[in-house]
């Protein structure tokens, strides 16, 4: 058995150690406090695109967290101020060149800033670490229209299906509207960004707002105050101007579960402690999660995550 | 057969797609920042040899295909079927000409072939990489010719025609690479 050895070179492990130290220094200099929250949680997430690992524990079932977001928001609501965390996150089934079901996440929150301010901070940090000169900002709808040549926001379900068939070729049957959009974005839009360097996508359609607050677009349309950061087509970070409205989030969790039901996925109970924390008051803040393994892959010019993980899923 | 989910799609896994037995060649996981994940999968249709590219929603499943690769000895043909025998159990398998395909020109009695069985019946027959066959017909060679001297066609016992060096003569046994159909060397007569 030769696969006891690390799959990634030790030079990249040293690079990881340096990167982690630099990230911690960066936040310490800014006065952002490092925190730790549980990896095994009593609640999973309702997001239909995420699947928690369930772990049988002595006192019942627990969930390996897909991100530390909920727990960190409870700290924010309790008055922590600016915080960051570097931790492991787990997503069942996410295995590929750019995915490992267990991975390292950097997540941080800044008080009193909106998603544009935070986007700017992410841009400076990422460009500094990767030696890039600058970044572009694209509204989601403009970007998709630019790449696909049609305004998919206004397209009917049938038109989206036709477009996906033309662009992707074979497509799975009976995809709902959101899944068709995801298909087009992952198969056409993201690959188009491969040569664009650092790109921020902003102003997401409301169904893709996730936990971002609702804002008004230039034409009065409702948008999610969310951004995604791509570097050379690789999705690196996802950020929100946080929605602190417990009732609105409760509705979104409910519609997540509805979509889960329509897709034949199990429903997930809603994290009541998160909602209680929001009801007690989340300070005005923005937060972002950044994939550390992917950042290291970009830094070390590795074509995939296997090149930066000492022991990937198959060697663990 | 068991069902396999997209995250179990490893190269070599045999699954049923559109009623055809297929072998997974590649499986690429694609996911946008948030949202629905997909798997782009390349499969080889084991019957036709054609390569299919399909996109699945992650978590979708396909039924496993009852496909097995076995090593069998070629026995004989009755003109319609080609009979192969399991050297351990002595079980006989009849393969149609569709399953044998191009391999027909490399069929030699008592030689071992890799036979893919689908629901117990042969669907493909793969020859060994190298095979030794006797020449039944070729123009007489010229004495003194060397290996550099060009080539000529030679017909083998199986009916296959290969190009051989001029110094090779009728009745000789030669070694052939079945992947390219090319002459490799003279084989010593045993």
């Amino acid at each position: 058995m030769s696969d006891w050895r690390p799959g990634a070179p030790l030079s990249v492990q040293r690079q990881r150690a340096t990167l982690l130290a630099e990230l911690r220094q960066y936040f310490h200099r800014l006065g952002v406090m490092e925190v730790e929250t549980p990896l095994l949680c009593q609640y999973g997430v309702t997001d239909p695109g995420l699947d928690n690992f369930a772990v049988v524990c002595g006192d019942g079932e627990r969930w390996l967290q897909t991100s530390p977001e909920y727990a960190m928001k409870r700290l924010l609501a309790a008055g922590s101020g600016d915080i960051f965390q570097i931790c492991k996150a787990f997503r069942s089934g996410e295995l590929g060149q750019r995915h490992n079901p267990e991975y390292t996440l950097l997540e941080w929150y800044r008080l009193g800033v909106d998603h544009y301010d935070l986007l700017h901070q992410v841009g400076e940090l990422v460009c500094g670490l990767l030696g890039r000169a600058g970044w572009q900002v694209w509204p989601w709808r403009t970007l998709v229209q630019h790449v696909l040549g049609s305004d998919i926001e206004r397209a009917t379900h049938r038109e989206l299906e036709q477009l996906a068939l033309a662009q992707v070729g074979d497509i799975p049957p009976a995809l709902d509207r959101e899944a068709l959009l995801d298909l087009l974005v992952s198969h056409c839009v993201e690959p188009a960004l491969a040569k664009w360097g650092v790109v921020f996508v902003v102003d997401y359609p409301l169904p893709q707002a996730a936990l971002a607050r609702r804002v008004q677009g230039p034409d009065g349309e409702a948008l999610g105050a969310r951004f995604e950061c791509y570097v050379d087509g690789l999705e690196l970070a996802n950020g929100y101007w946080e929605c602190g409205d417990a009732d609105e989030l409760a509705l979104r969790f409910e519609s997540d579960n509805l979509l889960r039901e329509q897709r034949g996925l199990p429903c997930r109970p809603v994290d009541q402690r998160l909602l209680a924390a929001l009801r007690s008051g989340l300070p005005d803040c923005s937060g972002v999660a950044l994939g550390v393994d992917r950042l290291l892959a970009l830094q070390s010019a590795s074509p995939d995550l296997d090149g930066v993980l000492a022991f990937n899923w198959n060697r663990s | 057969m068991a069902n396999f989910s997209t995250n179990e799609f490893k190269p070599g896994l045999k699954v049923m797609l559109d009623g055809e037995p297929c072998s997974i060649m590649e499986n690429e996981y694609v996911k946008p920042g948030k949202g629905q994940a997909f798997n782009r999968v390349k499969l080889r249709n084991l019957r036709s040899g054609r390569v299919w590219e399909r996109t699945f929603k992650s978590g979708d499943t396909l039924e496993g295909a009852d496909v097995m690769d076995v090593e069998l000895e070629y026995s004989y043909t009755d003109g319609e079927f080609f009979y192969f025998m399991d050297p351990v159990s002595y079980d006989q398998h009849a393969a149609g000409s569709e399953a044998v395909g191009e391999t027909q020109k490399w069929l030699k009695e008592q030689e071992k072939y890799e036979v893919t069985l689908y629901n117990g019946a042969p669907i493909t027959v793969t020859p060994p990489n190298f095979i030794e066959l006797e020449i039944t017909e070729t123009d007489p060679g010229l004495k003194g010719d060397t290996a550099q001297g060009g080539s000529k066609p030679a017909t083998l016992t199986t009916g296959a025609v290969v190009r051989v060096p001029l110094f090779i003569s009728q009745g000789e046994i030669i070694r052939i690479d079945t992947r390219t159909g090319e002459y490799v060397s003279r084989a010593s007569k045993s």
Side-chain angles (χ1 to χ4, degrees):
Chain A
M1 220 183 199
S2 68
D3 61 2
W4 65 267
R5 291 183 169 283
L10 286 174
S11 60
V12 177
Q13 302 315 312
R14 279 190 283 275
Q15 228 174 329
R16 178 185 288 268
T18 307
L19 174 62
L20 291 173
E22 280 172 357
L23 289 170
R24 289 201 158 91
Q25 266 167 25
Y26 170 81
F27 288 109
H28 289 155
R29 264 201 308 272
L30 290 173
V32 179
M33 175 172 65
E34 180 162 11
V35 296
E36 283 189 359
T37 56
L39 299 183
L40 272 175
C41 302
Q42 292 183 47
Y43 292 98
V45 288
T46 53
D47 186 333
L50 293 176
D51 191 15
N52 291 96
F53 284 99
V55 179
V56 180
C57 300
D59 56 354
E61 200 172 46
R62 298 219 170 199
W63 309 94
L64 279 171
Q65 61 160 8
T66 56
S67 95
E69 181 163 9
Y70 294 179
M72 289 180 82
K73 282 180 181 165
R74 284 164 62 190
L75 285 175
L76 289 161
S80 66
D82 294 339
I83 49 174
F84 82 97
Q85 176 161 206
I86 296 172
C87 64
K88 284 294 183 77
F90 302 84
R91 297 183 178 187
S92 177
E94 302 201 359
L95 180 60
Q97 279 200 319
R98 298 172 159 198
H99 295 82
N100 198 61
E102 171 181 354
Y103 66 104
T104 303
L105 199 61
L106 161 65
E107 181 147 332
W108 76 95
Y109 292 85
R110 303 301 305 270
L111 267 53
V113 303
D114 68 12
H115 56 306
Y116 286 106
D117 292 334
L118 188 60
L119 175 163
H120 196 84
Q121 289 177 22
V122 173
E124 288 194 327
L125 176 65
V126 166
C127 286
L129 287 167
L130 296 177
R132 304 298 176 105
W135 60 86
Q136 308 176 41
V137 180
W138 283 76
W140 184 88
R141 189 169 166 186
T142 317
L143 174 69
V144 171
Q145 190 165 4
H146 178 84
V147 174
L148 294 177
S150 57
D151 189 359
I152 64 178
E153 182 61 6
R154 285 199 188 147
T156 63
H157 188 267
R158 182 92 197 105
E159 286 166 347
L160 277 181
E161 227 169 38
Q162 292 298 328
L163 186 64
L165 269 172
Q167 296 273 350
V168 182
D170 167 74
I171 65 169
L175 292 180
D176 53 53
R177 185 183 174 84
E178 289 313 308
L180 280 168
L181 290 178
D182 290 335
L183 182 75
L184 285 163
V185 168
S186 60
H187 285 66
C188 307
V189 180
E190 290 187 358
L193 300 181
K195 294 200 167 114
W196 291 21
V198 184
V199 177
F200 285 92
V201 185
V202 295
D203 298 349
Y204 277 75
L206 206 54
Q208 297 181 46
L211 303 189
R213 73 171 62 189
R214 178 202 295 254
V215 288
Q216 279 228 329
D219 303 328
E221 74 277 32
L223 296 171
R226 169 183 166 200
F227 69 83
E228 286 264 7
C229 174
Y230 290 88
V231 179
D232 303 339
L234 181 65
E235 189 235 351
L236 188 61
N238 176 47
Y240 310 128
W241 187 10
E242 302 295 345
C243 171
D245 183 337
D247 295 333
E248 173 154 3
L249 282 189
L251 282 176
R252 288 189 202 172
F253 294 151
E254 215 172 283
S255 67
D256 277 352
N257 270 330
L258 207 65
L259 192 56
R260 279 180 163 269
E261 216 174 290
Q262 285 163 6
R263 289 183 179 175
L265 300 169
C267 291
R268 297 280 188 230
V270 172
D271 188 336
Q272 296 303 328
R273 291 196 180 89
L274 170 70
L275 292 181
L278 297 181
R279 286 207 176 90
S280 92
L282 184 75
D284 178 26
C285 65
S286 289
V288 59
L290 184 152
V292 175
D293 306 304
R294 288 183 176 181
L295 183 59
L296 184 59
L298 289 162
Q299 239 187 2
S300 61
S302 298
D304 52 34
L305 291 192
D306 289 348
V308 301
L309 298 170
F311 304 113
N312 68 14
W313 192 244
N314 295 319
R315 278 175 197 258
S316 66
Chain B
M1 283 305 274
N3 279 324
F4 295 95
S5 140
T6 50
N7 54 25
E8 297 170 282
F9 288 4
K10 304 253 158 64
L13 181 75
K14 312 290 194 297
V15 292
M16 295 301 295
L17 181 62
D18 297 347
E20 293 285 310
C22 296
S23 176
I24 306 266
M25 299 169 67
E26 279 175 42
N27 177 17
E28 190 193 359
Y29 178 83
V30 186
K31 191 183 190 216
K34 282 199 162 287
Q36 175 73 52
F38 297 93
N39 288 68
R40 295 176 64 98
V41 183
K42 257 193 200 167
L43 313 96
R44 185 189 304 283
N45 180 329
L46 290 172
R47 234 197 279 266
S48 69
R50 285 216 185 82
V51 175
W52 286 348
E53 278 190 66
R54 291 293 174 91
T55 305
F56 297 90
K57 278 191 292 179
S58 292
D60 278 356
T61 58
L62 287 177
E63 193 193 342
D66 179 9
V67 170
M68 236 177 16
D69 291 329
V70 289
E71 203 171 57
L72 302 179
E73 253 177 44
Y74 174 61
S75 302
Y76 68 100
T77 176
D78 59 9
E80 191 185 358
F81 288 101
F82 299 83
Y83 294 90
F84 292 83
M85 190 184 68
D86 187 316
V88 180
S89 67
Y90 300 111
D91 282 346
Q92 271 216 35
H93 297 271
S97 54
E98 249 178 62
V100 174
E102 287 283 289
T103 302
Q104 195 180 328
K105 61 184 186 192
W106 311 123
L107 283 184
K108 182 181 161 190
E109 285 162 28
Q110 268 90 59
E111 187 69 55
K112 288 197 174 74
Y113 294 80
E114 191 181 271
V115 178
T116 303
L117 302 176
Y118 166 52
N119 292 337
I123 50 166
T124 57
V125 176
T126 313
N129 290 345
F130 299 100
I131 193 160
E132 292 178 2
L133 289 166
E134 188 180 329
I135 295 176
T136 54
E137 205 188 325
T138 190
D139 289 339
L142 299 165
K143 284 261 187 277
D145 262 345
T146 63
Q148 296 124 324
S151 67
K152 60 180 180 178
T155 309
L156 308 174
T157 44
T158 59
V161 177
V162 296
R163 296 207 66 88
V164 298
L166 296 176
F167 60 83
I168 298 288
S169 47
Q170 200 165 305
E172 279 195 89
I173 295 177
I174 58 166
R175 191 171 165 81
I176 301 136
D177 186 330
T178 59
R179 294 161 295 185
T180 58
E182 279 170 10
Y183 165 92
V184 179
S185 65
R186 251 174 180 156
S188 53
K189 235 175 188 171
S190 51

